[in-house]
Each structure stands twice: as structure tokens, then as C-alpha cells.
Amino acid sequence: MTIDTDNELKQILTTIKTVASVGVSSNEEKPSYGIFYYLMKHGYQMIPVNPTASEILGLKVYPDLISIPQMIDVVQVFRKPEDVRPVVDAAIRIGAKIVWMQKGIVNEDAAKKAEAAGLEVVMNRCMMETHQRLFHG
């Protein structure tokens, strides 16, 4: 199911706890770093996923979703649209509940595959902007 109403988004943001951020940058000037930091400061357990970094904001970075040793509620995607399909495949494999493609990221085929496997999907929305708008608007 593709999520796009404020009520559905608010429900997600109030019930999730663990967010794996695929493609988060260790460069603090990149938007993904700032979004990751914001969500961490607002109480979400953030797990960075990036094969080229070892630590982000003092947290161990995992090379891929499969390497994370705990359950994940949301897989947040900071990857080009054409690179989303393998992320969705891994999200399905690890039993994630939601795939959240950040602003500017739309991949209908990957979304359909996630939905067919029972995951909820958010596309083309910034998690930080959505949180700010719904809770601090």
C-alpha cells in the first residue's frame, strides 16, 4: 500500500522506532546526513547503511541491510531511483515493514514489488520535512 495521506504518515511516524538509512552520507554537508541527524535527535533509532563508511555520528555503519542484526521498521532510501530495486529486495528479505523513498526518489516497479510482499511504501517525500510539518507545523 502506498502511503500518502497525512493521517497515514502521522501513524507511521508515531509507531516506528528503528530506521535503516540506505545511502546516508558521512559528509555532514549532504542532505542525507542532516536528515539522519534530525531523525536521530527526535528519538528514532537510526542505523546507517553505506558500504563506503565505517561510522556516522558515532554509530556503526553497516555495508547493507542484510548485515544489520536486528529488526527494522523502516528502510529509508537515499539512492537514485534506478538503484532502489535491490534495496527493496533486501528490505523484503529482512522483514522490514516500510520502504520510505526520500524526496525526488520514485520507482513504481520497486514500490509494486514491496507492496506485493506486504510492505507499505512512501515515495518522493522527505522524512524530516514530513515530521517537521506534521509535528512542528
Side-chain angles (χ1 to χ4, degrees), residues 50-92:
N50 183 329
T52 65
S54 59
E55 185 179 290
I56 295 175
L57 286 163
L59 300 172
K60 176 184 175 165
V61 178
Y62 292 89
D64 52 46
L65 289 172
I66 306 301
S67 302
I68 299 171
Q70 68 187 82
M71 290 300 296
I72 302 299
D73 293 323
V74 177
V75 173
Q76 178 180 223
V77 185
F78 292 104
R79 304 279 303 158
K80 294 180 201 153
E82 61 269 22
D83 296 334
V84 171
R85 181 67 183 262
V87 176
V88 165
D89 291 342
I92 292 166

Side-chain angles (χ1 to χ4, degrees), residues 36-51:
F36 186 93
Y37 179 76
Y38 171 90
L39 293 169
M40 192 170 93
K41 289 298 175 200
H42 283 83
Y44 297 101
Q45 181 186 1
M46 301 301 293
I47 300 172
V49 179
N50 183 329

